[in-house]
Amino acid sequence: MTETELLFNPFEPGYTDDPYPTYRRMRETDPVHDHPFGLWMVSRYEDAVTVLRSKLSVEERLINAGMLREQYDAIDTDSGAGTILSLSMLDRDPPDHTRLRSLVAKVFTPRSVAALEPQVVELVDEGLDRIAADGGGDLVESLAFPLPFEVISRMLGLPPTDHLRIRELSGWLVRSLEPVPDDETLARIVTAGDELAGIARDLIAYKRRHPGDDLLTAMIAAEEDGDRLSDDELVAQLVLLYVAGHETTVNLVANGTVALLRNPDQLALLRERPDLAANAVEEFLRYDSPVQQTRRVTTAPFELGGKVIPAGSFVSVVLASANRDEAFWGPDADRLRIDRDNARQHVSFGSGVHHCLGAALARLEGRVAFERLVTRFPGLAFGGEVRWNGRINLRGPAELPITV
């Protein structure tokens, strides 16, 4: 099979600008697809939910030999990147996952998150003030990035940091969540992980000297009170929360804005019905998922869609494809409808024990951002071409020019 014949070819020109025609072909042609890259791809909704709610592993050390195993082995477990990518709760099975998640879950309860709304409103308004003063600009730079980055920094109790550098480093690290096309990219991932791990160790040392009423202090205290959280595990959880706490919400706000501007009838409806903002966020998450794929690893033969996936297989659950599956969503699955009754049944936050811990926070940030963006700027419009970030998994605009 040649490159041009691949059913799924993320390196094809234009793919990251619009992957949805590819996903449709996968659902229609081979919904449980044994890909030459050495992974199985699951693209239909019901199959995706089955895999996500199964007890399959998330630990990549269990993958059989092949391209993805070579990629995993190339990220030395003794490196900063290896620490981050193997010891975070995202990358561990129970009971380690249960223990790690329990240390931070209490900070992400609906009640705790709801208490953050005044701060979120303040930060959104600051971003909108910047946009108003400039008559537009880049929505990513003015609002979509600063909002979640500042919120997670405050929750963790971190001192002022070089947010532009961390943004650049996290952008490289998250490329480890997708097939890496060349050795140079792999080297950049490892270097970025090493630097992020070093920054995390410095922040942890700072917080040991300056404890406070915040999430990082609580994680350190749990470790010091005899919990099994090691220094490396502490680094891994901090980087995970820092990166996941802003990368995904950047895409939610930016992708949702693009969707509204491309569907002016839905933008008008949201202005007329601001009470739809919460449901609109669910529809944005469904329509253009901030995280396009997630993984599981089989530990025994696993039957799905009439096929048997061998033990030791990397299974890519294509969340963004499942969210557009006509068999579940109906014939208008490719259409944006902010009043869709079952929008909340999307799988953008995953499902099962690894359901996104920060889902309530992302929903809050998205709801406030869209409520205030569309009411503040009745003349909101594109100010130029959207430039996509070129990522396969955490796909979103790198630059979103707007005018107001």
Side-chain angles (χ1 to χ4, degrees):
M1 179 178 289
T2 66
E3 182 175 299
T4 56
E5 293 172 332
L6 290 177
L7 182 59
F8 171 77
N9 181 8
F11 306 116
E12 188 176 22
Y15 169 85
T16 54
D17 288 4
D18 183 10
Y20 291 98
T22 295
Y23 297 156
R24 177 185 285 274
R25 287 196 300 273
M26 291 170 61
R27 292 193 302 271
E28 294 175 349
T29 306
D30 194 8
V32 181
H33 178 52
D34 183 5
H35 195 280
F37 283 179
L39 69 155
W40 288 75
M41 303 193 72
V42 176
S43 53
R44 287 184 179 170
Y45 183 90
E46 296 295 347
D47 291 338
V49 171
T50 296
V51 173
L52 293 172
R53 293 180 181 173
S54 71
K55 294 185 178 179
L56 297 185
S57 177
V58 296
E59 299 189 17
E60 295 186 37
R61 63 184 179 83
L62 302 176
I63 302 170
N64 290 332
M67 187 187 82
L68 294 179
R69 180 56 194 243
E70 292 172 4
Q71 180 175 315
Y72 172 80
D73 290 342
I75 302 176
D76 187 347
T77 53
D78 293 330
S79 71
T83 295
I84 294 164
L85 297 172
S86 64
L87 295 180
S88 79
M89 71 182 86
L90 186 69
D91 304 292
R92 304 296 294 175
D93 295 332
D96 284 340
H97 169 265
T98 308
R99 173 177 59 85
L100 295 169
R101 187 174 174 118
S102 68
L103 289 171
V104 297
K106 64 180 180 295
V107 181
F108 289 93
T109 63
R111 176 178 294 182
S112 299
V113 170
L116 296 171
E117 182 159 354
Q119 293 186 57
V120 173
V121 169
E122 174 191 350
L123 290 168
V124 168
D125 285 347
E126 288 177 1
L128 299 182
D129 288 344
R130 288 190 290 268
I131 292 169
D134 295 336
D138 178 8
L139 185 84
V140 175
E141 197 68 33
S142 297
L143 178 65
F145 173 76
L147 168 63
F149 189 90
E150 182 61 25
V151 169
I152 195 63
S153 295
R154 291 184 183 185
M155 291 179 71
L156 288 164
L158 300 181
T161 55
D162 184 351
H163 67 275
L164 292 177
R165 182 57 178 164
I166 291 177
R167 179 180 179 182
E168 180 182 2
L169 294 172
S170 67
W172 280 106
L173 184 67
V174 298
R175 289 186 178 271
S176 65
L177 303 175
E178 55 196 46
V180 175
D182 53 63
D183 290 342
E184 181 181 350
T185 300
L186 187 61
R188 292 291 295 270
I189 290 169
V190 172
T191 300
D194 289 343
E195 188 171 342
L196 274 173
I199 291 170
R201 293 185 193 282
D202 290 343
L203 291 171
I204 291 165
Y206 171 88
K207 188 52 62 175
R208 288 186 191 278
R209 299 191 303 270
H210 304 91
D213 183 18
D214 54 65
L215 176 53
L216 182 51
T217 298
M219 290 166 63
I220 292 170
E223 178 240 342
E224 289 178 342
D225 289 343
D227 191 275
R228 292 181 297 155
L229 193 63
S230 69
D231 287 345
D232 282 346
E233 287 176 327
L234 195 57
V235 168
Q237 304 336 299
L238 174 56
V239 174
L240 170 66
L241 291 168
Y242 217 15
V243 173
H246 77 270
E247 284 279 356
T248 53
T249 305
V250 173
N251 289 350
L252 166 59
V253 174
N255 289 353
T257 303
V258 170
L260 282 176
L261 291 174
R262 287 178 173 175
N263 294 271
D265 62 319
Q266 298 300 293
L267 177 56
L269 178 59
L270 186 55
R271 287 204 177 102
E272 294 166 10
R273 294 275 312 278
D275 59 297
L276 285 174
N279 197 72
V281 168
E282 305 299 335
E283 178 68 348
F284 298 145
L285 288 162
R286 182 201 72 85
Y287 182 76
D288 200 359
S289 180
V291 181
Q292 300 269 297
Q293 303 178 28
T294 191
R295 74 177 183 283
R296 294 293 186 271
V297 180
T298 56
T299 54
F302 188 81
E303 187 171 350
L304 187 72
K307 298 184 179 182
V308 177
I309 302 175
S313 295
F314 186 109
V315 180
S316 177
V317 182
V318 190
L319 306 173
S321 176
N323 285 338
R324 298 257 193 127
D325 183 0
E326 301 86 347
F328 181 82
W329 301 99
D332 67 348
D334 277 331
R335 186 179 154 218
L336 183 74
R337 273 184 39 220
I338 66 169
D339 59 352
R340 189 181 296 271
D341 290 339
N342 63 342
R344 197 179 173 100
Q345 291 182 262
H346 63 78
V347 289
S348 294
F349 290 132
S351 190
V353 298
H354 285 280
H355 183 270
C356 177
L357 186 64
L361 178 59
R363 286 179 165 120
L364 169 65
E365 292 171 333
R367 174 177 60 79
V368 173
F370 287 110
E371 279 176 346
R372 303 180 85 79
L373 175 67
V374 302
T375 55
R376 175 87 177 259
F377 300 129
L380 180 67
F382 283 121
E385 290 294 319
V386 179
R387 183 171 65 84
W388 297 91
N389 61 18
R391 298 179 198 163
I392 300 165
N393 199 349
L394 270 70
R395 171 187 168 274
E399 185 177 357
L400 174 48
I402 58 168
T403 60
V404 295

